[in-house]
Amino acid sequence: MLKQTRRILFPTCAILVLITTGVLAQNEPAFAPDKMDTILYGVAYYPEYMPSDRLDKDVELMQKAGITVVRVGESTWSTWEPRDGEFQFAWMQRVLDRLHQAGIKAILGTPTYSIPTWLYKEHPEILVTHNGTAPPLGDSHFKDHPAVIGYQVDNETAPTGIPTHYTNAAFLERLKQKYKTPETINKIWGLVYWGQLVDKWDDLPPRDGILNPGYKLEWENFQHDIVTEYLAWQARIVNEYKRPDQFITQDFSGGVHTNLDQWAIARNLDIVAENPYFETQKRLDASGIWLAGDLGRSLKHTNYLVTETNAQTIGWDSRTQYPQYPGQLRLVVYTHLAAGANMVEYWHWHSLHYGQETYWKGVLSHDLEPNRTYAEVSRVASELKRIGPELVNLKKDNKVAILFSADSANALSYMPFSDHANYMSILRQMYGALYELNLEPDFVAAGDAKLSRYKVLLVPPLYSASDTALQQISDYVKNGGQVVMAFKSGFTDEHSTVRDVMAPGPLRAATGFHYQEFTNLAEPERLTPDPYGVGEQNKGAMWEEFLVPDTADVVASFDGPYWKFPAITRNRYGNGVLTYEGTVVTDALQREIVHEVLKRAGLTGPDQNLPPTVKVRSQERSSRSPIHMARDRIS
Amino acid sequence: MLKQTRRILFPTCAILVLITTGVLAQNEPAFAPDKMDTILYGVAYYPEYMPSDRLDKDVELMQKAGITVVRVGESTWSTWEPRDGEFQFAWMQRVLDRLHQAGIKAILGTPTYSIPTWLYKEHPEILVTHNGTAPPLGDSHFKDHPAVIGYQVDNETAPTGIPTHYTNAAFLERLKQKYKTPETINKIWGLVYWGQLVDKWDDLPPRDGILNPGYKLEWENFQHDIVTEYLAWQARIVNEYKRPDQFITQDFSGGVHTNLDQWAIARNLDIVAENPYFETQKRLDASGIWLAGDLGRSLKHTNYLVTETNAQTIGWDSRTQYPQYPGQLRLVVYTHLAAGANMVEYWHWHSLHYGQETYWKGVLSHDLEPNRTYAEVSRVASELKRIGPELVNLKKDNKVAILFSADSANALSYMPFSDHANYMSILRQMYGALYELNLEPDFVAAGDAKLSRYKVLLVPPLYSASDTALQQISDYVKNGGQVVMAFKSGFTDEHSTVRDVMAPGPLRAATGFHYQEFTNLAEPERLTPDPYGVGEQNKGAMWEEFLVPDTADVVASFDGPYWKFPAITRNRYGNGVLTYEGTVVTDALQREIVHEVLKRAGLTGPDQNLPPTVKVRSQERSSRSPIHMARDRIS
Amino acid sequence: MLKQTRRILFPTCAILVLITTGVLAQNEPAFAPDKMDTILYGVAYYPEYMPSDRLDKDVELMQKAGITVVRVGESTWSTWEPRDGEFQFAWMQRVLDRLHQAGIKAILGTPTYSIPTWLYKEHPEILVTHNGTAPPLGDSHFKDHPAVIGYQVDNETAPTGIPTHYTNAAFLERLKQKYKTPETINKIWGLVYWGQLVDKWDDLPPRDGILNPGYKLEWENFQHDIVTEYLAWQARIVNEYKRPDQFITQDFSGGVHTNLDQWAIARNLDIVAENPYFETQKRLDASGIWLAGDLGRSLKHTNYLVTETNAQTIGWDSRTQYPQYPGQLRLVVYTHLAAGANMVEYWHWHSLHYGQETYWKGVLSHDLEPNRTYAEVSRVASELKRIGPELVNLKKDNKVAILFSADSANALSYMPFSDHANYMSILRQMYGALYELNLEPDFVAAGDAKLSRYKVLLVPPLYSASDTALQQISDYVKNGGQVVMAFKSGFTDEHSTVRDVMAPGPLRAATGFHYQEFTNLAEPERLTPDPYGVGEQNKGAMWEEFLVPDTADVVASFDGPYWKFPAITRNRYGNGVLTYEGTVVTDALQREIVHEVLKRAGLTGPDQNLPPTVKVRSQERSSRSPIHMARDRIS
């Protein structure tokens, strides 16, 4: 069957492609993420990890439970190709055949995140990570198998960040392409400082030990692009062979990532997948699950898949074993679906008897017999069999968005403003305000020109951004948008270089103030007045900008012995309003600031007055009335 | 006198043997650890460290104090052989002669733990440790000296654990010998996980960066064996030359070690030595001293030596200077003897004026004049001169044992169940229960077939053990033994691989329950009922197994909102009873659980009702009535 | 203009000398640090860091503010010599010309602390530091420029401590020169311990991993000497070309340094400079500023310069942004002057838009426009224009000194007595006692023979000192001096080797006691009686020596259940008195002990009875009456 083996060495990684004969043209309609038939419900399955052959027994148990999909094969290169050039397919053929026979669909992983030992003996240059794994790719041998509905390229891919001979050379090449001459980086990164001017490209010091923020930010974006290009390249190869009705996905490790360009990666996928793990028992909360879901859904503005989530327990050892209380597993499935997921898959079917993830327990315990979790999975599966077609392809039309800037998160990590807060904690605080208010946002990347689809935009510290990105926000306000913006926004440009004009630079007209100074706050300080009525929580902490209003109204101010600068301002600019926080506000204050802006934007209603334990998500379905789903928050 | 020099390079270490002429046959009776004449009492002595020649003065002071033994020479290779092939013996001859003249016995150390600078310049491969020392061996030049009663091979030898070119190669060789084919380790370690299958032995990755628990456990045992073989090899060489009446010992650093196979090492020694150091002043407590002593005595089931213990103060700098209160030094001597020690030697005679151990003060302070400690040593020496023959060779016939499993301690360290407890803390808790109850245990290694000599066996988490070792415990219960067993026992096999049957696997019949799930506990939880009457202390913490009794009785259970599983069970199995703790119990609860079992075994009496400040140890002497020794615990 | 380029590679560093023609002989009087015309007031200025050419604008703003001096050029090698052998001077010529035109003086830095990237590509051996910078030197091109009043060699130079091939070899050479044979170091460092005797010099292990305190102390002093010789060598070269009226300085990073021999460095300078940064807002306190000033002034017993101090905010990121309250900048200028500073320069003129020090803000913020700080600088400048000639060249004749021993600080760091105190904390406690008592001290180096100029000498733990240094102190007391001496003094010699006689060795007669033992204290302990009336503060902590008085009077003693040794003693010896603290006393107790000794020495008066918020410094001026300056301490 095998016609050709193609192995390509990508910078710092490797790829294995197994090319087979097969009918490339298909009559099936092409895959569309929002046109799926029903909710898929299943598990990752590693028959090869079993202590003994249990394929029949396992598939029988899955079938009995009502499982409809499994993911297979994503860490199996050494099983496919135990020795250089010797391939084994029969084992997977048997697995897929058995699944198909049981009516269970399969998602086939490229085995590239785990390479065989013989391969890195031969090509040590592909090893750039600390833990001895590196990303390769493989397999379209089974593309024609009727059980296979899609492919997952690699697995939770992330850059190592490690400077090697190869990555340093590639980075230098990138700089040459992008900036043409050393004079340009001397200028934009300020290499004259400490006398580090670069006269020839080759004099540029390698990444290790670099302190220059501009260099570090460029390196970070270079790392983003390595991952994007690596996954795009795998997707291109899979696209050469897959059927039109099969999809390509990649599974993000869950949540918002500052070390990836998730939007760029998503453009190479047919559907996005997320692996949102969560805390359980008393600490179960939908907030983190929905944050991952809202992000996953926003990447392509459509439905997404959950490829991995908690079955029994998670963790690298037995210090974090908190199996779900009775009913929590079921509750969480609907939580995923409420965010727009079209599939929920557990990691994983059975519990491992060896290896680092021994205590990351699957649906089955180590004894491999039915148990409490299996029973709850069975119950959910039977429900989904009935109502899955009602819950699939749910559409969202959110009017609030959170503006995400990986550059700002990274640049602030080089120049932190506090040990107790950072870019992501402010982003999570803003997300949390919406969560408490029962309003779900989209995420939008800084620099996205299409802001006008939203009525309200929440902006965590937009510390590093180009003039263009800032202009988009100003225009958005001018055209009627409502913005809640955090401190430090506009302070540096896209190279993390401070602007040499009064802060906040290009945002001055939209914010309606300027400032020359700022101070850390050793202790939280009271604000005055208390326009939101939050009492003891009417405080700013960690950071205070010495805002001098030009056109902005002062909402609340600091009240120190020497300085009484505004802490919160509100500026009408064109048809919109920009509300600014010149400090780290308390959670309660953030919620009220956001609430007030939402009201002004006409986005509030009865859902904002529910008891705190009731959470609501709304969605439209193609031809039916909207579904409302509520859940009790366990506290 | 010197006939031949033999220097052998052992993997990762070096050995120096100085062979002399001498009458090899002797008429002295062979040494026996339980047939010594009296308690030996003395010091380690380093005349070579003195700022000026004080041999006469020192020996005179020792003789005046009543000291009967000194240990000499264990870190002196560069003094014996200052240049390659040039030997100097006269200095030690003079020392031994002078000691002999004073009637003081000597224990001669092989100088192998500290090698000369010129030697590691010549043979850098012997250096595998971080601190620049490596174990060599030397000297039987003085074997015929009448002052020499025995030899200490090396000093507190421990494996470095560091993977080097040499150790990685030796480890691979061990695997080939032990497991024959890579398929075996693929299977037992589960290398299929994350696609790490090994096709050829040479593809096996070296130790650094390994996460696989099975690999790590094998490496740990390999490290054990390196030390055992290294010491056995030194002992063999010394045995070629020593007189029959002289002994070979090695000094363990004090206590129970998870990085050594102490039983295996002891098989190569004539008598075991321990170096138990302890906290002083208000923190003095016999528990740690006796734990080391009970372990040392259990290794060969006979008396042992204390080669090093606190004189004035200990510590690597002057942050831990706590000289003993008046009377504490004397109290501690009898504490050592109560555990079966036949010798007590201080580290050391004088205080060092330079080097890392400047503040590890000897009997004499830096001024080298008699002082408070010297006076108390003199008092004790005079007592021992009188009653030493009564206290020597004390015999123990303990009916309680603690089962020790280094594999379990190590495997649990790869997969810890808590940040606040581990294998050793549970072991110490069980030992502490016995200590408070005035009952002294032996230690027995997991896998020891002779369990029947004990009436009660306490089993800390026996997490990693072979089917055979578990069967021995089941048989022990069946035959009438009483067992107190901690959670997680039986969970993995001797490769740290989880058993693929209902937990606790082969122990199911003896424990009388099974379980599929477990949870960590974020907070300690109350148990119900309170059968031991410990009130507030009736709690389990950190870990809860979801025990489902088959035949076991429930002694106390958790009482959570969702789960009410048994925390303590009791199962009659054959003629014995196994009491199981499915959680980390409080100290008070542990003590009462153990107390109840001891009562059932008929091992309690008036000693268990003494005030807590009175501690008792009992022993038999060959032909005389037992001695009871009591001491006040200082609190 | 350029006649010759001289580049010399110094061990571990590089030097660039630009030699120009020029009239070497000058008619100007030679520079004298105590004969300056007025207080200089200015900034460090980096026109090369500006985002655009602002020279005219900047100098105009400086001139308007009243700034009289700037420091330029100390990190500019890559601007001087962008490629090997290609020099550019015009840019600096323009800067100096423009400054001169505005009547502003310049201090020209040698650019040696920051070397060009091409140079360390060519000579990687000069790179010995972690952060990729290494010290080089350059420039006397502008020595004849009338604006140039002096040169700063390098910048805050400190040893890296890092052992390299080069430094290990140089260290070995030093040992050979100093100690002649390996036997000497075997003896003084006690290398016989752990069998580390060195037979040939080449067998000596390199610095990494060394535990021997004597070796470490020698290495530390070797590091001191590297810096001293490096700066002396730069000073010699500058001296070949500079005008007699120009000075050479070097700027210490502020305060007392244990990794430098500041007295030795100062001997190569015409005037000492300090860079004292300080905490601001509520934490502003003169103590640290004066400690740096008193040290700087003591190095040559004359006035000194402040080359860098806080403008707006300091710190490596934005976690430490605490701009000065209104008025604090002015207050601090007079604080510097009160300690004898003849110049105050801010770091720096403008704030950096890139690089690691983006948030170490200058007089101007990133917007480069006048602001609050600029206004306060302008006010101070106008005051100094008027009263500067009155405040310059102030003379001190202090009668109290603190004896500083870098050897003791370093040796104690190898053998710390506590985690909560060390040599420097005791020194600061003694300094703080004087600060609270409104008495300013000089600093004097251990081994300085001229102690008799002081009436009172405070001695932090003089742990490592030669017999000669101790004899000087004994003689000082005998001749009428008053000494307050801390515990552990006299314990080890100049090699950190403990003396083999009763402690405190050669100090026994002067202290009037001896001791053989000591203990740490787990908790602070009360003393009795309470001769200073400090009540709850009458305590000793961390350390207790078992002092046995020979001739000393007991001032206060410990009162433990076992030991009641003296904690504070007072011994009349010849015409003087030595007060000894055998423990770490509380701050309040230290202050009263010092106060009592000052009274006895007749050094107290009305200044010691001022409210705590009033601080006084006194000085003599050549021909005028003394000035008293008071300030409010902000608390």
Side-chain angles (χ1 to χ4, degrees), chain B residues 83 114 121 321 357 359, chain C residues 193-194 199 202 488 520:
Chain B
R83 279 162 297 280
S114 171
K121 280 264 178 179
Q321 300 289 296
E357 290 168 315
Y359 286 94
Chain C
Y193 167 69
W194 280 350
D199 181 57
D202 287 349
K488 270 185 163 297
N520 287 108

Side-chain angles (χ1 to χ4, degrees), chain C residues 331-344:
Chain C
L331 189 61
V332 167
V333 170
Y334 294 107
T335 304
H336 289 306
L337 302 185
N342 272 357
M343 176 177 92
V344 176

